[in-house]
């Protein structure tokens, strides 16, 4: 006898808060960088929950974790999920909400007595944030065949560690070949991380597409010299050149749909009275339109080349990530909108400004996303917040959409 499936709100909220406490430092900042000790603790907690839910747990060679509700079927699995690694000084919802709501969906299906027509899987992908090891969305990119697993395992982190060694050290270098599971569909619930839903008073986002993401490391070399004796006209100031790039990027995107960020920078020799001869920084450049996004990259290349002449410096670049804009599956997007409407939840189609594992899974199966509102549009910040009612509503829409897919409706 089946009854209608319903999310166990208390358990979902409690798990979000419990996972949100794992990886806090003495000042209370939450950081669980990919393959770190803190990430291990979060993974261990998640695996325990997956086992308590009687799911078969599998880990692949890049550390992606899968909780599998195995159903005898010739239909490929439905996969739901996201990531549990975080940025530095993070909020508690980014990624974790998608993994834990996916688990809640499977538990609700089981509790209702329903029998899906295919296996249902919750996935937690490795290194979605890309803060320690570039590129971001790495685990799902490898799963989707966009990056060779051995090349990914050999990536050297910002701290000089090697991803494969770190995964082995924390016990998450699994045996499964990445990509072994090819889902029939993938759906990711996620906080919006932006201001749109809140500004428009909408409760749900049906994510139809996701913008292009370009990451680049820039190394500028000039000439160290005395800060007091060197005339301005004789300087090859790597620090000044870096500053020019930062202001150029803002002028490039101002008033457009593009966004540009220099999130990391370091100078050498980093002394108050020495003109820097070294500046290394990263660029994150995004736009939803492929043509505009490519034009921005070309303008940046030209500007960097011009600096070598104008500032007497040398400029080296290293591409860290380049993911074209993605369009999600229209059929699943419509199902999400219909599920929201059936619950009288206001919903709007939208573009994702952030990168997500769903954009990689869209390479191998129909994929789409559900957004819930972010208070003040804030994310990648401890003030990241979504109210309980929205978290539960989003998980219920995920459940309703998943139930519709696995019951062939
Ligand atoms: O970079 C991003 O958009 C994601 O948070 N990894
Ligand atoms: Mn995320
Ligand atoms: Mn993020």
């Amino acid at each position: 006898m089946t009854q209608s499936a319903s999310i166990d709100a208390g358990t979902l909220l409690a798990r979000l808060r419990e996972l949100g406490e794992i990886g806090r430092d003495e000042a209370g900042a939450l950081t669980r960088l990919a393959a770190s000790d803190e990430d291990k603790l979060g993974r261990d907690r998640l695996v325990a929950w997956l086992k308590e839910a009687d799911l078969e747990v599998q880990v692949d060679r890049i550390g992606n974790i899968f909780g599998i509700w195995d159903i005898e079927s010739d239909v490929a699995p439905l996969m739901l999920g996201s990531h549990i690694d975080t940025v530095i000084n993070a909020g508690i919802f980014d990624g974790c909400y998608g993994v834990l709501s996916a688990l809640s969906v499977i538990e609700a299906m089981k509790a209702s007595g329903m029998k899906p027509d295919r296996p249902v899987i919750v996935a937690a992908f490795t290194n979605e944030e890309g803060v320690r090891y570039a590129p971001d969305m790495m685990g799902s990119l490898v799963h989707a065949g966009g990056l060779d697993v051995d090349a990914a395992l050999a990536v050297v982190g910002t701290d000089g560690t090697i991803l494969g060694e770190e995964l082995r050290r924390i016990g998450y270098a699994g045996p499964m070949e990445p990509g072994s599971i090819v889902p029939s569909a993938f759906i990711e619930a996620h906080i919006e991380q932006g201001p749109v839903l809140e500004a428009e008073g909408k409760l749900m986002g049906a994510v139809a597409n996701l913008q292009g993401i370009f990451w680049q490391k820039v190394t500028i070399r000039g000439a160290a010299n005395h800060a007091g004796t060197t005339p301005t006209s004789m300087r090859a100031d790597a620090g000044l050149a870096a500053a020019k790039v930062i202001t150029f990027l803002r002028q490039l995107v101002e008033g457009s749909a593009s966004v540009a960020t220099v999130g990391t920078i370091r100078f050498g020799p980093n002394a108050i009275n020495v003109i820097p001869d070294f500046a290394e920084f990263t660029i994150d450049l995004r736009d939803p339109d492929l043509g505009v996004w490519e034009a921005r990259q070309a303008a940046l290349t030209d500007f960097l080349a011009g600096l070598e002449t104008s500032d007497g410096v040398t400029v080296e670049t290293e591409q860290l990530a380049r993911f074209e804009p993605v369009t999600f599956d229209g059929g699943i997007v419509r199902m999400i909108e219909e599920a929201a409407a059936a619950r009288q939840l206001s919903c709007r189609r939208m573009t994702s400004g952030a990168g997500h594992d769903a954009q990689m899974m869209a390479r191998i199966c129909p994929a789409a996303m559900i957004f819930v509102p972010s208070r003040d549009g804030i994310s990648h910040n401890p003030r990241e917040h979504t109210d309980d009612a929205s978290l539960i509503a989003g998980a219920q829409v995920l459940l309703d959409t998943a139930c519709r897919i696995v019951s062939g409706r």
Side-chain angles (χ1 to χ4, degrees):
M1 156 64 173
T2 61
Q3 62 206 34
S4 77
S6 180
I7 294 291
D8 174 347
T11 301
L12 173 56
L13 297 173
R15 284 174 178 160
L16 271 169
R17 287 178 171 78
E18 183 177 343
L19 187 55
E21 287 308 305
I22 297 175
R24 289 199 184 271
D25 64 17
E26 54 287 343
L30 171 64
T31 303
R32 286 200 308 270
L33 297 184
S36 63
D37 291 334
E38 297 77 14
D39 186 28
K40 170 182 173 49
L41 294 173
R43 287 166 169 264
D44 292 348
R45 193 68 198 90
L46 172 64
V47 166
W49 283 326
L50 297 177
K51 289 180 174 169
E52 285 164 22
D54 283 334
L55 299 180
E56 176 201 342
V57 176
Q58 292 204 14
V59 179
D60 73 11
R61 290 180 56 208
I62 194 75
N64 294 326
I65 297 170
F66 302 99
I68 302 167
W69 180 16
D70 202 1
I71 303 283
E72 264 310 300
S73 164
D74 55 9
V75 180
L78 168 65
M79 189 181 285
L80 313 171
S82 189
H83 62 96
I84 62 166
D85 65 303
T86 75
V87 294
I88 297 166
N89 196 14
I92 71 169
F93 300 102
D94 178 356
C96 300
Y97 172 60
V99 174
L100 295 178
S101 55
L103 175 54
S104 293
V105 162
I106 293 180
E107 289 173 324
M109 286 177 164
K110 285 183 156 207
S112 75
M114 71 175 289
K115 186 135 173 26
D117 67 354
R118 69 195 79 181
V120 187
I121 296 175
V122 47
F125 290 107
T126 294
N127 188 32
E128 190 276 348
E129 294 295 1
V131 168
R132 189 182 184 196
Y133 305 98
D136 55 351
M137 286 76 73
M138 188 191 274
S140 49
L141 177 64
V142 169
H143 183 95
L147 176 61
D148 171 73
V149 60
D150 291 312
L153 293 170
V155 167
V156 178
T158 51
D159 55 3
T161 59
I162 295 172
L163 176 57
E165 291 176 7
E166 283 294 276
L167 285 171
R168 272 191 295 282
R169 185 180 65 81
I170 68 167
Y172 281 91
M176 187 167 94
E177 268 313 306
S180 313
I181 302 171
V182 182
S184 46
F186 178 83
I187 311 176
E188 179 172 5
H190 207 287
I191 54 172
E192 177 199 343
Q193 301 181 288
V196 172
L197 290 176
E198 183 181 66
E200 295 186 4
K202 293 285 193 300
L203 288 173
M204 285 297 125
V207 187
N209 62 314
L210 188 150
Q211 66 178 344
I213 302 172
F214 175 73
W215 280 7
Q216 184 179 65
K217 181 165 75 175
V218 179
T219 305
I220 298 180
R221 285 184 173 76
N225 214 327
H226 195 295
T229 57
T230 312
T232 300
S233 60
M234 287 176 59
R235 295 185 176 208
D237 183 337
L240 174 69
K244 287 182 177 179
V245 178
I246 296 173
T247 47
F248 163 77
L249 284 168
R250 174 54 68 89
Q251 286 153 4
L252 181 70
V253 304
E254 197 83 71
S256 79
S258 306
V259 285
T261 311
V262 173
T264 71
I265 191 164
R266 65 191 179 97
F267 284 171
N270 204 35
I272 188 167
N273 56 359
V274 179
I275 300 166
D277 64 345
F278 173 89
E280 187 173 81
F281 54 96
T282 54
I283 293 173
D284 178 322
L285 182 57
R286 310 191 192 199
D287 192 283
D289 178 279
L290 179 62
V292 172
W293 179 63
E294 287 175 336
R296 302 294 191 217
Q297 293 166 56
L300 171 61
T301 300
D302 291 347
F303 184 80
L304 293 173
L307 274 181
E308 294 196 317
T309 320
S310 61
D311 287 55
V313 294
T314 61
V315 179
E316 284 166 41
T317 61
E318 179 192 347
Q319 181 176 299
L320 300 176
R322 191 174 188 286
F323 303 130
E324 293 191 356
V326 165
T327 301
F328 287 126
D329 179 80
I332 303 179
V333 173
R334 267 191 302 282
M335 285 187 188
I336 292 167
E337 290 175 316
E338 287 161 9
R343 289 184 175 274
Q344 290 81 47
L345 297 167
S346 54
C347 179
R348 62 105 83 201
R349 281 193 185 208
M350 59 196 299
T351 298
S352 174
H356 295 290
D357 294 309
Q359 75 186 90
M360 302 309 176
M361 295 307 287
R363 299 180 180 204
I364 58 171
C365 69
M369 296 187 71
I370 298 165
F371 273 176
V372 292
S374 290
R375 185 176 62 191
D376 302 331
I378 291 172
S379 183
H380 284 188
N381 176 316
R383 289 178 52 218
E384 181 179 283
H385 181 78
T386 297
D387 63 59
D388 291 353
S390 299
L391 293 167
I392 301 310
Q396 199 65 55
V397 168
L398 181 66
L399 172 60
D400 297 347
T401 308
C403 286
R404 182 170 169 185
I405 290 174
V406 302
S407 51
R409 282 182 285 123

